[in-house]
Amino acid sequence: MPFDASTPRPTLLAQDLSLTYGGPMIVENLGIEVPTGEISVVVGANGCGKSTLLRALARLLKPATGAVILDGHDIHRQSTKTVAKRLGLLPQAPRAPDGVLVSDLVRRGRYPHQHLFNQWSASDEAAVNLALELTGMDEMADSSVDELSGGQRQRAWIAMALAQDTPLMLLDEPTTHLDIAHQMEVLDLLQELNQTEGRTVVMVLHDLNQACRYASNFIAMADKTIEAAGHPSEVVTPELIEKVFGMPVIVIDDPVAGTPLCIPMARSGQKERATASV
Amino acid sequence: MSLAINAPATGTMAAIAAGLVLVGFALRLSELLPTRRGAIRAGPISGLFQWRVVWLTLGAVASILGLMAVGLIVGDFPVSARDALRTALWDRGGEFDFIVNTLRFPRVTVAVLAGMCLATSGAIFQGLINNPLVSPDIIGINNGAAVCAVFILAVGGNVSLLPYAAFVGALSTAIVIYILAWKRGVSGSRLVLVGIGINALLAAVITFIQVRYPIERVAAAARWQAGSLFGANWEDARTLIIGIAILLPLAFVLTRRLRILQLGDDASAAMGMRVERERLLLIATGSGLAAIAVAVVGPLAFVALVVPHLARLLAGNITGGVLILTALLGSVFLLGADLIAQRLFAPTILPAGVVTAALGGPYFLFLLARYNRAI
């Protein structure tokens, strides 16, 4: 059946995690606990290991040391299908096969729940219909994914991840290549899914202010590990952002959401200000 | 005498033209087919199908039966339709037994089976690499078979070994490509690039064999290389049936996983797939299917490239049902191509490979033009 509150609440955490692709360590001695039922957003400079962390949390990368613990057990000791029913991942900038229809794409999300002779059960159909409805893609179910706008396309992919019907959803930069309106559209959708469906969301975002606005758990990565994690209004400070991005900012209240708003200071501007204040 | 030969040729020319018109008509008609889907549910068994694919599949089966009948009836030696079908189906023996049951029936059967193998193989590779311009002939699988076969013919080896040698050549080429393309996993584009390189290398080896060995043996090799159904016998059909019995159900089962692999490695892994294992299985199945077809009929060009694309155009993205439709359309294409090859310049018989290339080449260009416009 589509996601319901009776499924056991997921727990996801990592202990003493070190990650590498064979070369230098990308993440070292990282510990994280994903708060259930909340939106966690990972931010950090390019190449700081955000995506790598997300891949490790989704069982796509075996840790060099430490472990990812899903529902109390080492994720690498669980079968791939068990994990796939608890945790879904939407990779960065996914590419759909040429000419594939939205409904076809979303149906593929049911793979972990299907078997050779059981490929379209009533619950498959219900989950796909619900995913299309929640993302507002039901009208476009028979359109080709190629013909959609960027925002619609991303919604189609999110519908696919929704059809997988996992209480935990990991998304790697779900807003890349989208214009600002489509970015907000996607983030609003994810927030709505979190609030109405109680799904735990972990995503990597590039935009600091969007992270502040949508996260209830703000995770900042620097120096191959987590620099700070917590509610954005508590952890986002000019010092933290300067440490993470090496860029001075001032932090004010977002006039719309009331969350922290980081405004970058150009280095030259900062110098002028510094001299002016002396 | 010349009249006796020319008269049926004119008739078959008309038949071929009519056939082509019919194909065009069928394509137009297919656009009117319903796009509805139906679900089958019976206890623990369930599945989804498209009515469109069902109708197209029935159409393809009917075309295969029709073309097989034509293949039994027409030829240099005039046999009436009634006699041909009677001799083939319910009254074996008699005066036409040799013509119908030894020459024509195995030939159309081999065309059906080899067409299936090539088209299915193409569908697997195109699906796996997410590119409609890929097929086993382009990434060197066919040339791998050809190197071994041409070598055997050129050194004057035992001809009965030829299918086995071709099979070994095709599979070992696939293995070499897979190993060379490996770099923490095999990505589709690297597989294609390595494959194209290997293909060029193998073509050079074939050329070397051709200039190195005596011309009369090389001529036989060149003929084999064009791909032909000439001299197809029941032994060939049996080889293909065994291969198909194993590989086609496997391909059908793997299609479900192919559909997930198409979404990218990370997305597939997150859905609980062992990406490399499944990809290896698919490559092995696709190569195996190409290998048995090439082993029997030679490296027929373009069937594996054109037919899966045509099937996708008619029925949409790959599913188990579309895979079966692709296989059947492969049979239709090869049967049609072989009939044209036999009758177009009768009594001169062309190798079927010339016709598949003549039909497939322009289609390939059409594909490229279409593809360009889409990008």
Side-chain angles (χ1 to χ4, degrees):
Chain A
M1 279 322 287
F3 182 72
D4 68 84
S6 64
T7 38
R9 287 171 68 76
T11 57
L12 180 65
L13 51 102
Q15 292 163 341
D16 191 27
L17 200 62
S18 296
L19 304 170
T20 171
Y21 288 110
M25 283 291 169
I26 293 164
V27 164
E28 256 177 339
N29 303 323
L30 178 146
I32 182 178
E33 189 168 348
V34 174
T36 304
E38 292 185 21
I39 296 183
S40 298
V41 178
V42 185
V43 300
N46 284 341
C48 75
K50 300 177 300 252
S51 298
T52 310
L53 172 63
L54 212 63
R55 297 186 76 231
L57 290 178
R59 198 193 192 274
L60 301 187
L61 182 64
K62 212 173 157 74
T65 68
V68 173
I69 316 283
L70 174 69
D71 299 330
H73 304 283
D74 186 337
I75 201 168
H76 277 276
R77 299 245 168 104
Q78 303 183 38
S79 83
T80 49
K81 277 223 163 171
T82 313
V83 174
K85 286 178 188 168
R86 300 289 291 162
L87 180 154
L89 171 87
L90 185 57
Q92 192 177 349
R95 200 179 150 238
D98 289 328
V100 72
L101 303 182
V102 172
S103 54
D104 188 1
L105 180 70
V106 177
R107 271 202 298 275
R108 296 182 196 202
R110 293 302 294 167
Y111 176 79
H113 301 271
Q114 293 170 333
H115 305 280
L116 178 57
F117 295 110
N118 189 7
Q119 295 200 32
W120 190 239
S121 65
S123 59
D124 289 332
E125 189 168 353
V128 166
N129 289 341
L130 183 72
L132 287 168
E133 194 189 305
L134 285 171
T135 50
M137 292 304 286
D138 34 6
E139 302 262 299
M140 276 165 277
D142 286 321
S143 317
S144 163
V145 174
D146 310 330
E147 292 161 6
L148 302 179
S149 74
Q152 290 171 333
R153 202 173 299 162
Q154 194 62 4
R155 279 194 349 228
W157 280 98
I158 291 173
M160 190 203 78
L162 281 177
Q164 197 179 333
D165 196 22
T166 56
L168 263 160
M169 283 178 75
L170 274 47
L171 303 99
D172 193 356
E173 296 195 26
T175 55
T176 33
H177 307 315
L178 298 183
D179 65 39
I180 183 76
H182 287 130
Q183 289 179 18
M184 300 309 268
E185 178 187 312
V186 166
L187 292 171
D188 282 337
L189 170 65
L190 291 170
Q191 190 174 44
E192 198 184 305
L193 292 171
N194 166 255
Q195 283 164 1
T196 58
E197 299 247 300
R199 300 202 200 218
T200 308
V201 174
V202 182
M203 59 180 157
V204 171
L205 285 183
H206 251 304
D207 187 306
L208 260 180
N209 296 324
Q210 286 174 351
C212 290
R213 184 182 287 194
Y214 288 95
S216 53
N217 184 39
F218 183 97
I219 301 167
M221 286 185 72
D223 295 335
K224 302 176 183 173
T225 188
I226 288 176
E227 187 64 33
H231 196 273
S233 58
E234 287 157 17
V235 297
V236 177
T237 59
E239 293 74 35
L240 176 72
I241 303 304
E242 174 138 26
K243 174 98 208 301
V244 171
F245 290 98
M247 169 191 77
V249 294
I250 53 171
V251 177
I252 60 168
D253 281 349
D254 182 334
V256 176
T259 49
L261 183 68
C262 305
I263 300 174
M265 293 192 287
R267 278 174 209 282
S268 54
Q270 182 202 12
K271 239 178 258 165
E272 277 162 35
R273 267 175 77 103
T275 26
S277 63
V278 168
Chain B
M1 184 65 201
S2 70
L3 259 180
I5 292 164
N6 282 338
T10 322
T12 38
M13 280 289 283
I16 288 164
L20 287 175
V21 170
L22 264 175
V23 169
F25 186 65
L27 286 181
R28 296 299 300 173
L29 201 66
S30 74
E31 287 170 17
L32 303 174
L33 286 175
T35 49
R36 271 183 309 120
R37 291 187 184 82
I40 308 172
R41 292 210 182 101
I45 297 171
S46 69
L48 186 70
F49 65 90
Q50 303 176 67
W51 280 107
R52 192 188 175 81
V53 176
V54 173
W55 289 117
L56 287 166
T57 303
L58 291 175
V61 170
S63 311
I64 289 172
L65 293 177
L67 285 169
M68 282 181 84
V70 174
L72 291 176
I73 295 162
V74 306
D76 280 346
F77 191 90
V79 180
S80 77
R82 216 171 60 108
D83 284 340
L85 296 181
R86 179 177 56 86
T87 310
L89 297 178
W90 60 87
D91 190 15
R92 299 198 151 230
E95 65 174 309
F96 304 115
D97 189 57
F98 177 75
I99 302 277
V100 174
N101 286 330
T102 306
L103 294 182
R104 293 181 189 171
F105 205 174
R107 182 169 185 151
V108 290
T109 310
V110 165
V112 168
L113 299 170
M116 274 184 185
C117 291
L118 289 169
T120 312
S121 169
I124 290 175
F125 278 105
Q126 292 185 4
L128 198 60
I129 292 152
N130 254 341
N131 190 329
L133 305 178
V134 170
S135 71
D137 23 341
I138 284 177
I139 62 169
I141 311 275
N142 288 11
N143 263 350
V147 166
C148 291
V150 167
F151 181 74
I152 285 199
L153 289 169
V155 298
N158 187 348
V159 180
S160 66
L161 284 178
L162 204 134
Y164 304 99
F167 187 76
V168 169
L171 269 195
S172 31
T173 308
I175 293 168
V176 168
I177 294 169
Y178 189 81
I179 291 171
L180 288 180
W182 180 276
K183 189 183 168 196
R184 268 194 279 115
V186 171
S187 85
S189 50
R190 203 161 43 230
L191 193 77
V192 176
L193 287 175
V194 170
I196 288 172
I198 296 284
N199 193 32
L201 198 72
L202 292 171
V205 173
I206 293 172
T207 312
F208 172 75
I209 295 174
Q210 284 173 340
V211 294
R212 169 76 179 67
Y213 287 92
I215 187 73
E216 62 277 9
R217 288 194 209 144
V218 166
R223 216 165 23 246
W224 180 85
Q225 243 196 303
S228 167
L229 293 157
F230 182 75
N233 55 42
W234 287 117
E235 183 63 28
D236 295 337
R238 215 190 56 173
T239 312
L240 286 168
I241 285 173
I242 293 171
I244 286 176
I246 299 166
L247 292 173
L248 208 58
L250 187 61
F252 182 76
V253 169
L254 288 173
T255 304
R256 203 164 79 82
R257 307 185 192 164
L258 174 64
R259 282 165 51 78
I260 304 302
L261 274 180
Q262 286 189 318
L263 305 176
D265 289 3
D266 278 1
S268 330
M271 276 198 245
M273 288 234 327
R274 284 181 212 136
V275 174
E276 282 313 326
R277 194 187 70 173
E278 306 297 352
R279 183 157 35 219
L280 183 62
L281 259 174
L282 278 158
I283 291 175
T285 309
S287 307
L289 281 164
I292 49 171
V294 175
V296 172
V297 298
L300 278 171
F302 287 107
V303 182
L305 183 76
V306 169
V307 177
H309 188 268
L310 192 67
R312 202 162 36 241
L313 211 64
L314 290 173
N317 227 272
I318 188 115
T319 62
V322 175
L323 186 84
I324 291 171
L325 177 65
T326 309
L328 295 173
L329 288 178
S331 304
V332 174
F333 186 76
L334 194 48
L335 273 171
D338 187 47
L339 275 177
I340 294 175
Q342 286 187 65
R343 303 311 306 163
L344 190 57
F345 297 112
T348 308
I349 294 177
L350 298 173
V354 172
V355 177
T356 57
L359 291 175
Y363 187 80
F364 188 67
L365 290 177
F366 155 75
L367 209 70
L368 273 172
R370 231 178 94 95
Y371 213 57
N372 268 345
R373 222 180 312 142
I375 291 168

